[in-house]
Amino acid sequence: MATITVPPSVPSPAEDAEQLQKAFAGWGTNEDLIISILAHRNAAQRKVIRQTYAETYGEDLLKALDKELSSDFERSVLLWTLDPAERDAFLSSEATKRLTSSNWVLMEIACTRSSMELFMVKQAYHARYKKSLEEDIAYHTTGDFRKLLVPLASTFRYEGPEVNMTLARSEAKILHEKIHEKAYNHDELIRIVTTRSKAQLNATLNYYNNEFGNAINKDLKADPNDEFLKLLRSAIKCLTYPEKYFEKVLRLAINKLGTDEWALTRVVTTRAEVDMQRIKEQYHKRNSVPLDRAIANDTSGDYKKMLLALVGHEDA
């Protein structure tokens, strides 16, 4: 009688929780065991592991990890273990604090998440901080930055493929007119960028390119040092070509004199389950070096092992 070999399945959440508890027990922490479990579980699995761990050991897994780990490795593991909406809520809150403020992180989350994902981030923000994300962004930003960021975070864009070409033509003309007038913060320009669906925006920007001979972001480079224009260009890139935006963030994070670990950790942990393959292809194309090799050359120890596991080093 033929024997049937059953392929090894993913351990149960209870087994994972038990192994994690073992990794914390004793004198030293078993970092390799933590990576081998958490870096190889998807968001739904990680959520159940957290629930199981809390029920079995009476402690939040995140608190246990926080006690056992440190520095960039700790941040990468904690961000990864969080539910995606909770993670984005945490990053958004951090981005509105004085010492860690970042208009870029707020823009990135508002522009690269789907409408439903952004809605869930705002729900998670309510639950955790007892305030709305929009009110914190409005309170902590000023001027043109506030004028762009609040509607970006408030919107619930249509996600379908339908495009109105008549609208695309008329709004491309409005954009060109306002940019020509250097009215970069004009209500109409902000309205188009912050409310139109990504498909509609793509159609408008394609028409802009064909009709006026330049990509819109080229025309928005009038003053390369203008911080608002940099943010506006990045918002447009996030909405239309996110992998190009994330490639640049990674390139700048890795190629700095000292690595920008926060940016590197944020992009790897938030995109690993979304579009990491496309980001890796874009990175290789732009830098002639695979992303995993660039990360390996620029990081070390457990932090390096964690990031490489998340970018899919095994199948790269």
Side-chain angles (χ1 to χ4, degrees):
M1 196 174 148
T3 54
I4 300 166
T5 47
V6 180
S9 60
V10 174
S12 71
E15 289 170 296
D16 279 341
E18 188 186 340
Q19 287 300 307
L20 286 168
Q21 217 276 328
K22 279 183 185 164
F24 306 145
W27 281 103
T29 306
N30 187 340
E31 288 88 354
D32 286 341
L33 184 55
I34 293 168
I35 295 168
S36 75
I37 296 168
L38 292 176
H40 300 277
R41 304 291 182 270
N42 64 32
Q45 290 167 330
R46 296 193 303 276
K47 191 172 188 171
V48 181
I49 291 168
R50 262 183 81 188
Q51 287 166 348
T52 309
Y53 192 93
E55 286 159 14
T56 312
Y57 302 105
E59 183 181 30
D60 185 351
L61 176 59
L62 292 169
K63 282 213 171 85
L65 290 164
D66 187 35
K67 280 193 298 199
E68 297 292 331
L69 312 178
S70 62
S71 64
D72 294 312
F73 175 55
E74 177 189 359
R75 187 171 169 86
S76 65
V77 174
L78 288 178
L79 282 178
W80 176 247
T81 306
L82 279 167
D83 178 72
E86 282 183 288
R87 181 200 299 140
D88 282 345
F90 171 77
L91 290 169
S92 300
S93 172
E94 202 174 56
T96 63
K97 299 287 181 286
R98 196 164 56 89
L99 295 174
T100 49
S101 71
S102 172
N103 291 332
W104 293 85
V105 172
L106 296 170
M107 176 281 299
E108 180 181 297
I109 289 169
C111 294
T112 59
R113 300 337 185 225
S114 71
S115 296
M116 191 48 80
E117 284 166 349
L118 185 57
F119 181 70
M120 288 166 77
V121 172
K122 291 189 272 192
Q123 282 185 316
Y125 200 95
H126 283 189
R128 181 160 182 176
Y129 302 107
K130 312 303 176 217
K131 289 180 289 181
S132 77
L133 174 59
E134 295 90 331
E135 73 179 290
D136 274 355
I137 292 175
Y139 184 67
H140 291 283
T141 55
T142 56
D144 290 345
F145 294 102
R146 180 192 286 165
K147 193 172 179 179
L148 176 65
L149 288 168
V150 172
L152 277 178
S154 307
T155 194
F156 193 95
R157 292 176 200 267
Y158 174 64
E159 300 241 290
E162 289 80 4
V163 164
N164 180 330
M165 287 314 295
T166 310
L167 192 64
R169 282 193 291 275
S170 68
E171 293 197 333
K173 283 172 185 163
I174 292 170
L175 290 173
H176 186 257
E177 190 182 298
K178 298 309 164 199
I179 291 168
H180 183 69
E181 292 167 3
K182 294 189 164 40
Y184 305 120
N185 64 352
H186 193 280
D187 289 353
E188 285 294 270
L189 189 152
I190 301 284
R191 173 187 65 77
I192 294 164
V193 172
T194 60
T195 65
R196 291 298 180 204
S197 76
K198 292 176 184 179
Q200 183 67 37
L201 209 49
N202 263 310
T204 301
L205 299 185
N206 284 337
Y207 184 84
Y208 184 106
N209 196 355
N210 297 335
E211 185 71 9
F212 306 113
N214 260 349
I216 191 168
N217 272 2
K218 208 167 182 188
D219 287 345
L220 286 169
K221 267 191 179 148
D223 179 357
N225 298 317
D226 184 312
E227 289 299 316
F228 173 70
L229 281 187
K230 279 186 196 172
L231 191 68
L232 182 58
R233 286 198 306 271
S234 291
I236 290 168
K237 197 182 273 186
C238 276
L239 289 162
T240 55
Y241 210 152
E243 55 267 39
K244 263 193 172 175
Y245 166 82
F246 286 117
E247 180 282 320
K248 187 175 183 182
V249 174
L250 289 170
R251 173 165 30 101
L252 294 177
I254 291 168
N255 293 352
K256 273 189 170 175
L257 217 50
T259 311
D260 181 350
E261 285 89 358
W262 273 36
L264 180 56
T265 302
R266 184 183 78 250
V267 174
V268 171
T269 54
T270 60
R271 307 316 288 177
E273 294 180 282
V274 185
D275 52 2
M276 185 52 74
Q277 195 51 46
R278 288 200 295 278
I279 294 168
K280 280 159 68 171
E281 285 162 14
Q282 187 68 32
Y283 191 93
H284 200 166
K285 195 166 101 181
R286 176 68 175 71
N287 302 283
S288 307
V289 174
L291 177 60
D292 55 354
R293 195 185 310 158
I295 289 173
N297 290 340
D298 219 48
T299 56
S300 60
D302 296 316
Y303 177 54
K304 167 174 149 180
K305 287 180 197 169
M306 182 68 182
L307 292 186
L308 291 179
L310 294 183
V311 298
H313 179 65
E314 298 85 349
D315 51 53

